[in-house]
Amino acid sequence: MSVTGSVCIIGSGPAGLYCAEEIKRLAPEVAVDVLDRLPTPYGLVRGGVAPDHQKTKQVIRQFEPLFSKGGVRFLGNVSVGHDIDISELRRLYDVVVIAVGAAGDRKLGVKGEDLAGVYGSAAFVGWYNGHPDFADLAPRIPGPGVAVIGNGNVALDVARILALTPEEAHDTDLARPAASVIERHPVTDIYVLGRRGPAQAAFTAAELREMGELAQADPIVEPHLLPEHPPEDMEPRAARVAKRNLEILHGFAQRARRDVPVRVHMLFHRAPRAILGNGQGNVAGLLVEHTKLVKGQVLSTGVTESLKVGTVVTCIGYKAVPFPGVPLDERRGVIANTDGVVEPGLYVVGWARHGPRGVITANRASAREAAGHALEHLSGKTTHGSGGAGLEKILSARGYRHVCYDDWCRIDAAERARAHDGAPREKFIHVSDMLALLEENRRHLEAVGVKVTD
């Protein structure tokens, strides 16, 4: 496809990079710049995938060639809406694609949600992953009980990370402050709960199976709540997933209990009704109601119980947060769009487009569609903006220093170098520390006569 012009992708997570990859595959002459407000690329692969899931993080290897030899530029430490407005980007670039994900937590909507000790999964997961936005979260985890609300993989991640022994955490990139807190305040009972039944849980079999492989934690399941088979009216694909999960859960229920310090209670048919306080503004418990499923509908039973917990982590889904200069669809929790089109020349991809769903590779479909929209728009243009050159000129005039891909490689190398034996890296968890490292490197190179350019 003989198309030229420039594309700016805002967000360097998988959705944005799949889009960049597709554009360069179909139209190699198109200039593609990927912006991120952090100095680090790869979005939720770095800041959301569980620290002990290093194989999943290897998807980064697919994207590295885009920056190193694929003609895609990375411009980190550029905050759209602060350093530059999206209206300016649209004048500079022929196409702008928004790939900022869904960073907001959905609310439970129950009394007590504002108590100290209640955290959304975006914040809690970001904290233990060393995301700069949540590096100073300092969550309250007094123990001995923690409630994790949700029946998806994120809930399993949170429960598993809290149950890891120091030895199990050793070969991960769990942020050091988080590892210290978890080790210092070990919990004995973790309650993973959801409103629906085990057949309706959104776990993947691989994640669920891991709950039975922890060194010092046992999964506990209530056998009487486990059906033998998925419901007959369940869609075939969902039924296959449910069948595998039920087999694993039955295995948990049948195996002998071990003498280990942590119990992970898999509680189904439980709906949170209130988070209970201790009179001093802190979480002291969670009131849940037993539910039942009738023709796919969750119904109340009136039977309640209280769980003694000092921490509540909600893992009930994400939503897009307001993005400066772009309309938000509050009802759907996404950036307002029609099939990925915000308006001609402005497109949205990934979770910001359709909400959080699927695994990392599930973003490919919307990325391909956004790439198609972008190239169709470019094919009709006869004049072009100044693109990246214009952006750099504006940022320089305003005193903003962007982080290029080579800079990221220096950060990456430093993180790997400072890791303890066996760990993949020890992350910098503050942007200021990353920028200080780059500035020190710059001064060193200039001192030995090497000219530094971006």
Side-chain angles (χ1 to χ4, degrees):
M1 181 181 294
S2 181
V3 177
T4 59
S6 60
V7 175
C8 174
I9 298 175
I10 305 170
S12 64
L17 296 184
Y18 281 135
C19 184
E21 186 177 59
E22 184 72 358
I23 290 171
K24 294 298 285 187
R25 184 182 72 83
L26 295 174
E29 299 305 311
V30 171
V32 179
D33 287 349
V34 177
L35 275 55
D36 202 292
R37 64 185 180 86
L38 295 178
T40 55
Y42 309 126
L44 282 181
V45 178
R46 177 179 168 91
V49 172
D52 59 338
H53 282 179
Q54 292 299 311
K55 287 185 178 179
T56 304
K57 291 176 184 274
Q58 289 178 9
V59 71
I60 286 173
R61 294 180 182 176
Q62 174 183 339
F63 299 129
E64 287 174 337
L66 277 176
F67 295 123
S68 61
K69 57 187 178 183
V72 174
R73 292 200 316 159
F74 174 69
L75 291 86
N77 199 40
V78 177
S79 178
V80 179
H82 181 270
D83 303 344
I84 193 160
D85 293 335
I86 195 164
S87 58
E88 295 175 295
L89 290 176
R90 296 198 66 192
R91 289 195 294 270
L92 294 168
Y93 291 88
D94 302 313
V95 169
V96 173
V97 179
I98 301 170
V100 295
D105 282 299
R106 295 188 182 277
K107 294 292 187 180
L108 277 175
V110 301
K111 183 180 179 181
E113 200 163 7
D114 58 346
L115 289 169
V118 181
Y119 307 96
S121 55
F124 200 83
V125 170
W127 167 70
Y128 66 59
N129 265 313
H131 192 294
D133 286 356
F134 308 107
D136 300 319
L137 183 69
R140 183 179 179 275
I141 313 176
V146 174
V148 182
I149 301 174
N151 267 180
N153 283 346
V154 175
L156 292 183
D157 285 345
V158 170
R160 191 180 64 256
I161 294 301
L162 287 172
L164 291 180
T165 64
E167 292 74 23
E168 287 173 310
H170 185 271
D171 296 341
T172 76
D173 61 354
L174 180 65
R176 179 174 289 186
S180 177
V181 169
I182 293 170
E183 185 175 353
R184 192 168 65 249
H185 299 291
V187 298
T188 60
D189 291 276
I190 303 169
Y191 303 92
V192 180
L193 58 117
R195 299 181 308 135
R196 296 178 180 272
Q200 289 75 35
F203 310 135
T204 58
E207 288 255 359
L208 184 57
R209 194 174 291 112
E210 285 180 304
M211 298 307 297
E213 299 169 351
L214 296 169
Q216 293 294 311
D218 259 357
I220 297 176
V221 183
E222 300 165 302
H224 66 280
L225 292 181
L226 295 178
E228 290 296 326
H229 307 287
E232 293 183 359
D233 59 351
M234 184 172 274
E235 185 267 332
R237 183 176 180 181
R240 288 192 295 272
V241 172
K243 182 176 183 294
R244 289 194 292 269
N245 285 345
L246 288 173
E247 289 171 352
I248 296 167
L249 291 168
H250 275 288
F252 291 166
Q254 293 164 6
R255 76 185 201 179
R257 296 272 182 88
R258 296 182 298 157
D259 183 18
V260 291
V262 182
R263 295 169 292 277
V264 181
H265 307 265
M266 311 291 290
L267 301 182
F268 301 102
H269 294 291
R270 305 297 207 287
R273 293 301 182 222
I275 300 171
L276 309 175
N278 64 355
Q280 299 175 333
N282 301 318
V283 172
L286 178 67
L287 179 68
V288 299
E289 181 179 20
H290 292 234
T291 65
K292 60 182 179 180
L293 271 181
V294 178
K295 295 182 179 180
Q297 298 297 310
V298 178
L299 301 181
S300 300
T301 66
V303 178
T304 62
E305 66 176 313
S306 294
L307 306 176
K308 188 176 181 180
V309 298
T311 307
V312 175
V313 184
T314 62
C315 306
I316 57 173
Y318 302 108
K319 62 180 181 179
V321 298
F323 191 79
V326 180
L328 187 69
D329 184 330
E330 294 278 2
R331 183 182 63 82
R332 293 192 295 157
V334 299
I335 289 175
N337 72 94
T338 303
D339 297 328
V341 179
V342 180
E343 55 185 75
L346 180 62
Y347 309 104
V348 61
V349 65
W351 285 11
R353 170 189 167 173
H354 50 61
R357 64 171 186 243
V359 295
I360 288 172
T361 52
N363 290 292
R364 284 179 184 268
S366 68
R368 290 193 182 106
E369 195 166 355
H373 290 317
L375 296 179
E376 182 179 6
H377 185 78
L378 286 172
S379 67
K381 292 187 71 68
T382 56
T383 60
H384 302 287
S386 58
L391 173 61
E392 290 189 57
K393 185 176 180 180
I394 290 175
L395 292 176
S396 178
R398 293 175 182 172
Y400 296 122
R401 183 196 181 286
H402 76 270
V403 170
C404 65
Y405 184 69
D406 285 346
D407 288 333
W408 153 244
C409 290
R410 295 181 185 105
I411 295 170
D412 180 44
E415 289 184 341
R416 293 178 185 278
R418 69 195 208 126
H420 55 257
D421 291 343
R425 68 178 66 241
E426 184 184 330
K427 292 177 180 175
F428 292 104
I429 62 175
H430 293 103
V431 169
S432 58
D433 291 335
M434 301 180 205
L435 299 182
L437 169 78
L438 297 177
E439 185 56 32
E440 181 182 356
N441 180 78
R442 182 182 292 264
R443 287 198 301 267
H444 171 74
L445 291 176
E446 290 176 346
V448 297
V450 177
K451 185 178 180 181
V452 180
T453 64
D454 293 331

